[in-house]
Amino acid sequence: MLKPDQGLALKLLKLSVSSDDFQETLQLKKQIKKALQEREVPYLSAVEFDQILRWKLDKQYHRSKQQREINVDEVVVPITRACFSIRSDDKNYEIELKLKTLTTMRGVAIPLASAILAICFPDEFVVIDSLLWELIYKEEKSSFTVSDYLKFLSFFSSLSKHTNCSLQDTEHLLWLYQQSLS
């Protein structure tokens, strides 16, 4: 298992966060943030939801598109509104409820739910990813549980303290590091 320590942080900080993918992510986060701020009660529209899925799934977007097409405004708006309004003094329980609420939509499992939360709330969430999971935990995994996500998020919370970067910048740096190893 990788240790979220100063040594790893130094390796990561040598990498650049100026890639096209990173710029696309920043643009999407900015667009979604603006939309959420304009609403009295935050939610995603079906179009915004789809933009996040397209960003996360990239070349795999069309694989399960037909299954997800049922997620129209009448589904996406109330579910994301409910998800974004969940609060608990127990942060892990709050995260669990948010993830599970999003996964009630067809075609949305923990990785997509984490992508939605990460784009909407970039200071609090990261996107769980099988390649990073394998790098960190030396274990191949293709499906994830809420417990897996909490473990993954905890790793990045720890590592981001050593990099003095945001959670998502730290995640992106580790992703670039993983790519450099391939």
Side-chain angles (χ1 to χ4, degrees):
M1 180 180 138
L2 277 182
K3 298 262 188 272
D5 60 13
Q6 193 63 35
L8 179 58
L10 291 172
K11 288 179 189 174
L12 297 181
L13 290 171
K14 292 178 183 174
L15 300 169
S16 168
V17 292
S18 62
S19 68
D20 289 342
D21 179 59
F22 189 71
Q23 296 309 314
E24 178 187 344
T25 302
L26 288 178
Q27 185 60 35
L28 180 60
K29 286 193 286 190
K30 183 179 175 182
Q31 175 190 336
I32 296 295
K33 179 181 180 178
K34 183 178 187 285
L36 294 177
Q37 287 175 336
E38 290 173 351
R39 298 176 179 137
E40 190 173 320
V41 179
Y43 64 85
L44 292 175
S45 69
V47 169
E48 294 157 345
F49 172 79
D50 192 64
Q51 288 174 315
I52 294 171
L53 299 189
R54 188 178 295 273
W55 165 81
K56 167 66 173 123
L57 296 172
D58 195 28
K59 293 177 181 90
Q60 297 177 5
Y61 174 77
H62 293 285
R63 255 186 38 206
S64 58
K65 185 178 181 196
Q66 188 174 17
Q67 180 186 21
R68 293 186 317 271
E69 284 178 342
I70 198 163
N71 294 325
V72 295
D73 272 336
E74 292 78 12
V75 173
V76 175
V77 170
I79 290 175
T80 58
R81 182 179 283 143
C83 171
F84 299 164
S85 69
I86 294 170
R87 301 287 181 270
S88 175
D89 289 339
D90 182 336
K91 205 64 178 160
N92 285 348
Y93 184 54
E94 180 179 321
I95 292 166
E96 175 185 354
L97 291 173
K98 287 181 178 197
L99 289 168
K100 287 182 176 180
T101 300
L102 291 171
T103 61
T104 62
M105 288 186 279
R106 217 175 263 171
V108 178
I110 297 295
L112 283 179
S114 75
I116 293 164
L117 291 171
I119 290 295
C120 295
F121 307 102
D123 296 331
E124 300 173 52
F125 298 96
V126 295
V127 182
I128 197 163
D129 173 88
S130 58
L131 294 175
L132 287 181
W133 182 275
E134 186 176 352
L135 176 67
I136 296 165
Y137 302 109
K138 308 296 184 222
E139 168 190 23
E140 287 187 26
K141 201 165 182 77
S142 59
S143 64
F144 298 95
T145 64
V146 169
S147 294
D148 293 334
Y149 183 77
L150 293 171
K151 180 178 176 179
F152 192 77
L153 181 61
S154 176
F155 176 89
F156 281 100
S157 294
S158 240
L159 184 57
S160 68
K161 290 174 185 157
H162 293 289
T163 63
N164 290 318
C165 294
S166 71
L167 275 173
Q168 287 190 5
D169 286 352
T170 301
E171 178 187 28
H172 187 74
L173 288 169
L174 191 60
W175 182 82
L176 288 172
Y177 176 71
Q178 184 275 333
Q179 295 296 308
S180 75
L181 298 175
S182 301

